[in-house]
Amino acid sequence: DRGRSWTKYEGNPVLQNDTGIRDFRDPKIVWYDAQEKWIMALAVYDRVQFYASQDLKTWEYLSEFGIPGDTRLWECPDLFPLEVDQTGQTKWVLIVSIQQEAPNGGTATSYFVGDFDGTRFLADPDDQQWLDWGTDNYAFVTWDHAPVSSTERLGIGWMSNWQYAQVVPTETWRSAMTVPRVLRLHPEGEGYALRSLPVASLEALRGEPTVLGPMVIKGEDTVEGAFSPSQCELLLHTDLQATTAALFGITLSNGAGDRLILGVDRENKQFWIDRRGSGPSFAEVFFTGPHTAPLDLEKGDSDLRILLDVASIEVFGREGRLNFTEIFFPSEPFDRMTFWAEDGEWKVESGTVYPLSSIW
């Protein structure tokens, strides 16, 4: 009756934990059409175990996948096939969240690309890649049978980090989710990489745009328009050949002296966010940094799409190759946006700022 009522199965639990490992959690199930059976990916401390079933009630152990010698806690595994853009080849993706030693500290969501033969997930354990370089996109999980094509997968992440999730200075509720994102798999060097962009329906929240550029930024320049820096979407295209600045970026600030800084370091080929001064004492204690992500400017990494909310920033660059999600807690909303450049000029070829309506 479409989920209106529920009868518990007398044979529960359908999968007993006989491993002796306490962390036996987070089952994610997908239908494996080639052999007409269900496949379960299950987090078992520092690895993923795979099980199969014909009826969802009787489960058979198949295999496991992990990084030899790894002792980090793994969570929220998600196994699914995805057709590769440009080639049409189908590969399997295993998403798994790691509780320690992420690129910028603490927790983060990683993934492996390989093949699945109905029994084993076959991939290089050393080829662990990161879905998001920021510190606040964890436990990212996708929807099965969402209305997208064979080349796309929809997912959403928990916007926090176990380093500070239980002590963030919030009231009434704690934590939020990322915007839903569309994953696509692309050839990358000798392997494959996921690209992630916001769902297209997010554009329905856009208001009247403020058009920027072309602009040449020398020093600092305040950007103004019919938008609030605390709830907007920023699209930027940089002319890299005409840009001579060693560092350039954006600062959000308020009258209380809080500030959030994001920038591009051309010499070190990095994108970075510094949120250490983004709020009162909480930020000083828990927010280390600045946090960085690789940014290969020689490959035309000139476009940025930035989603700003009162307490979060989600950055998308390199056509979805770069994802960077971070939270912050200013003492009052940011109300000023400043573009800046150091040791040269920043040529903004074009830009647009959209105010965003609330989803509530």
Side-chain angles (χ1 to χ4, degrees):
D1 59 358
R2 296 190 297 172
R4 289 188 175 91
S5 61
W6 186 265
T7 302
K8 287 186 178 181
Y9 173 54
E10 293 181 356
N12 285 330
V14 296
L15 184 61
Q16 291 275 7
N17 179 9
D18 58 5
T19 65
I21 299 173
R22 183 186 66 177
D23 296 294
F24 188 83
R25 61 172 73 179
D26 303 341
K28 183 70 191 301
I29 297 171
V30 65
W31 176 253
Y32 186 59
D33 194 55
Q35 297 178 11
E36 297 187 339
K37 62 184 180 182
W38 298 99
I39 299 296
M40 176 194 297
L42 187 76
V44 184
Y45 186 58
D46 57 356
R47 69 203 66 185
V48 174
Q49 290 187 348
F50 301 101
Y51 295 80
S53 176
Q54 298 289 342
D55 59 6
L56 297 174
K57 293 180 285 189
T58 302
W59 291 91
E60 172 193 6
Y61 171 79
L62 297 175
S63 62
E64 65 182 32
F65 178 84
I67 300 174
D70 195 5
T71 59
R72 299 171 298 175
L73 180 65
W74 289 25
E75 293 188 293
C76 300
D78 192 356
L79 177 71
F80 54 87
L82 205 55
E83 189 176 308
V84 181
D85 276 346
Q86 302 175 32
T87 71
Q89 179 186 17
T90 296
K91 302 294 289 184
W92 284 75
V93 178
L94 176 64
I95 290 178
V96 61
S97 292
I98 307 293
Q99 270 212 16
Q100 300 175 33
E101 302 174 12
N104 281 297
T107 56
T109 301
S110 70
Y111 68 92
F112 303 85
V113 180
D115 297 295
F116 184 72
D117 62 6
T119 300
R120 297 174 300 162
F121 175 68
L122 306 170
D124 183 355
D126 293 328
D127 190 19
Q128 183 180 32
Q129 302 186 68
W130 300 98
L131 191 65
D132 194 304
W133 287 82
T135 56
D136 295 298
N137 182 1
Y138 189 67
F140 191 95
V141 176
T142 67
W143 284 278
D144 209 13
H145 292 282
V148 291
S149 71
S150 59
T151 61
E152 296 179 329
R153 188 87 173 180
L154 295 181
I156 195 168
W158 173 54
M159 195 187 288
S160 196
N161 191 305
W162 279 122
Q163 286 184 313
Y164 42 75
Q166 295 176 318
V167 294
V168 292
T170 60
E171 297 179 4
T172 307
W173 54 270
R174 178 167 287 155
S175 298
M177 306 300 286
T178 68
V179 296
R181 303 180 183 186
V182 180
L183 304 182
R184 299 180 71 99
L185 191 60
H186 287 253
E188 194 80 15
E190 296 181 358
Y192 305 89
L194 286 174
R195 298 186 189 180
S196 174
L197 289 170
V199 291
S201 55
L202 188 72
E203 297 176 12
L205 299 177
R206 289 175 174 174
E208 291 297 317
T210 295
V211 178
L212 310 176
M215 303 168 61
V216 177
I217 308 300
K218 302 177 182 179
E220 294 186 357
D221 194 353
T222 300
V223 177
E224 298 178 333
F227 65 90
S228 167
S230 286
Q231 194 167 307
C232 68
E233 178 180 7
L234 175 61
L235 307 178
L236 284 177
H237 180 74
T238 295
D239 184 342
L240 290 173
Q241 291 186 340
T243 296
T244 59
L247 298 169
F248 59 89
I250 302 168
T251 298
L252 304 179
S253 59
N254 58 28
D258 305 326
R259 62 179 188 172
L260 177 78
I261 310 171
L262 54 147
V264 172
D265 182 338
R266 299 189 69 189
E267 180 178 353
N268 294 308
K269 297 181 179 180
Q270 289 180 334
F271 174 84
W272 54 269
I273 289 182
D274 189 346
R275 58 180 181 174
R276 291 174 295 177
S278 62
S281 58
F282 172 84
E284 298 173 6
V285 175
F286 292 100
F287 285 172
T288 60
H291 297 150
T292 65
L295 193 65
D296 191 348
L297 298 174
E298 294 179 0
K299 294 184 179 180
D301 299 341
S302 55
D303 293 298
L304 289 176
R305 181 178 180 183
I306 302 170
L307 300 176
L308 287 163
D309 207 346
V310 175
S312 67
I313 181 170
E314 298 177 69
V315 179
F316 304 87
R318 296 192 62 198
E319 299 178 317
R321 295 180 183 89
L322 168 69
N323 282 195
F324 209 107
T325 305
E326 303 240 324
I327 59 173
F328 44 84
F329 299 93
S331 52
E332 59 187 55
F334 290 127
D335 57 9
R336 186 184 183 199
M337 178 184 293
T338 303
F339 286 9
W340 53 267
E342 294 183 7
D343 300 326
E345 299 177 347
W346 174 20
K347 175 64 180 299
V348 179
E349 191 169 34
S350 62
T352 307
V353 187
Y354 294 96
L356 293 179
S357 301
S358 172
I359 65 169
W360 302 108

